[in-house]
Amino acid sequence: MSTNYTTFAVAGAGGLGSFIVSALASRPGVSVVVLSRSASSKVPANVTVKQVDYTSPGSLISALKGVDVVISTLSGEGFAAQTPLADAAKAAGTQLFVPSEFGLVTEGITDAHLAFKEAFAKHLKEIGLPSLRVFTGPFSDFLFNPYVGFDFPNGKATWVGKGDTPIGFTARPDIASFLAHTLTSLPPSKLSNAIFRLEGDRKSFNEVVGIYEKTHPGKKVTVTHTPIEEAKSKVAKDPSAATFVTYLLVSLEEGKSIYNSGPLDNELFPEWKPQTIESILSAYE
């Protein structure tokens, strides 16, 4: 009998979660359950959907019976459901919890916008549920959109600061393939209370614009720079969801996507070939 993990539950199966579900479902000998508030979630044919009520411990515990690993990609207002989910996972005998990190390095963070992630990591320790935190930097297949400040079709970009700071990016399909590989191939001792730092590519925003212009001959991007002190003042005055994008851009300018506490963990999956910024931008209009 294998000692590696084989049964998984994913909470939050939209966005990144959908990639993780598909990647896990493609692994041989693996069972995947999607936890959903709705029974109508679309999933691969070999994946089971279990409708749950996050306000009902009994509903969650029942859904998690027999599950080795719970993976959360809950975000926004849904993040509040992680605590009852973790408590239920502990009660159900789950062996590992992968919290909704997948972005900036939040280990030890006190910033108002992301301090709840560090607080949740402490909660997992308090209840004695082993965890795996995965830091990936921003999603390279999602970040470059007008909402964040990258309006490439109209030749415009806006960011905080000079744009020379290196940023570690990882695309969502690559995060999913890495996670599916390591969770099913590494022994539990290598996953318990571990931190994985992934990086698909490392580029500054100025380099990103240069790559876009190179892969789209004849197109030029005009950049607007918001002074970092102006942006930090805006965030300090309103540390709410309304200023999250500004907070994110400040954090990237300050180098908070780069993990400085040790080497990257890309080598845990030697065959991993993450997408480059150039390969992603080449597909843009």
Side-chain angles (χ1 to χ4, degrees):
M1 182 176 179
S2 172
T3 58
N4 291 354
Y5 295 134
T6 59
T7 57
F8 300 86
V10 180
L16 173 61
S18 65
F19 292 104
I20 293 174
V21 168
S22 295
L24 283 170
S26 70
R27 305 287 294 181
V30 166
S31 173
V32 183
V33 170
V34 166
L35 306 180
S36 175
R37 291 183 173 89
S38 169
S40 61
S41 296
K42 295 181 179 180
V43 298
N46 60 337
V47 172
T48 301
V49 176
K50 290 189 177 181
Q51 189 171 7
V52 296
D53 178 358
Y54 283 99
T55 66
S56 168
S59 169
L60 292 170
I61 293 171
S62 175
L64 295 176
K65 285 292 186 182
V67 169
D68 295 330
V69 181
V70 172
I71 303 168
S72 170
T73 60
L74 296 169
S75 61
E77 294 181 357
F79 196 90
Q82 264 202 151
T83 298
L85 177 63
D87 293 343
K90 176 65 177 177
T94 295
Q95 299 175 57
L96 184 72
F97 195 102
V98 183
S100 185
E101 293 280 357
F102 310 111
L104 297 178
V105 178
T106 61
E107 184 183 18
I109 200 168
T110 59
D111 298 349
H113 284 85
L114 291 178
F116 64 90
K117 292 197 173 187
E118 176 70 358
F120 181 74
K122 291 179 179 178
H123 177 71
L124 291 175
K125 290 181 180 179
E126 289 170 356
I127 65 174
L129 181 56
S131 70
L132 170 65
R133 299 173 76 177
V134 183
F135 302 138
T136 63
F139 302 152
S140 50
D141 63 322
F142 178 78
L143 185 75
F144 306 118
N145 64 74
Y147 179 72
V148 179
F150 293 88
D151 189 3
F152 285 149
N154 291 310
K156 300 176 182 179
T158 301
W159 60 65
V160 170
K162 296 179 180 180
D164 292 328
T165 303
I167 300 167
F169 296 94
T170 316
R172 291 172 296 175
D174 297 325
I175 296 169
S177 65
F178 186 95
L179 199 59
H181 172 83
T182 52
L183 285 175
T184 58
S185 63
L186 294 182
S189 61
K190 295 290 186 182
L191 301 166
S192 180
N193 295 320
I195 290 177
F196 287 172
R197 174 64 178 97
L198 314 184
E199 189 174 286
D201 200 358
R202 183 179 293 195
K203 293 287 185 290
S204 69
F205 279 153
N206 281 319
E207 289 175 315
V208 167
V209 166
I211 291 170
Y212 177 82
E213 292 178 339
K214 170 188 158 186
T215 56
H216 296 76
K219 290 195 174 183
K220 295 295 180 182
V221 178
T222 300
V223 178
T224 299
H225 300 268
T226 301
I228 189 167
E229 292 305 323
E230 176 183 321
K232 291 173 75 172
S233 176
K234 177 181 178 181
V235 170
K237 291 178 181 177
D238 179 19
S240 69
T243 60
F244 180 77
V245 170
T246 302
Y247 166 78
L248 173 63
L249 293 173
V250 168
S251 298
L252 295 177
E253 176 67 8
E254 293 182 331
K256 293 181 179 179
S257 72
I258 305 298
Y259 190 57
N260 295 315
S261 298
L264 295 173
D265 292 292
N266 295 15
E267 63 184 20
L268 292 174
F269 187 3
E271 296 77 27
W272 194 52
K273 303 296 181 185
Q275 300 172 72
T276 63
I277 294 295
E278 182 165 346
S279 67
I280 290 168
L281 292 182
S282 294
Y284 278 44
E285 295 182 359

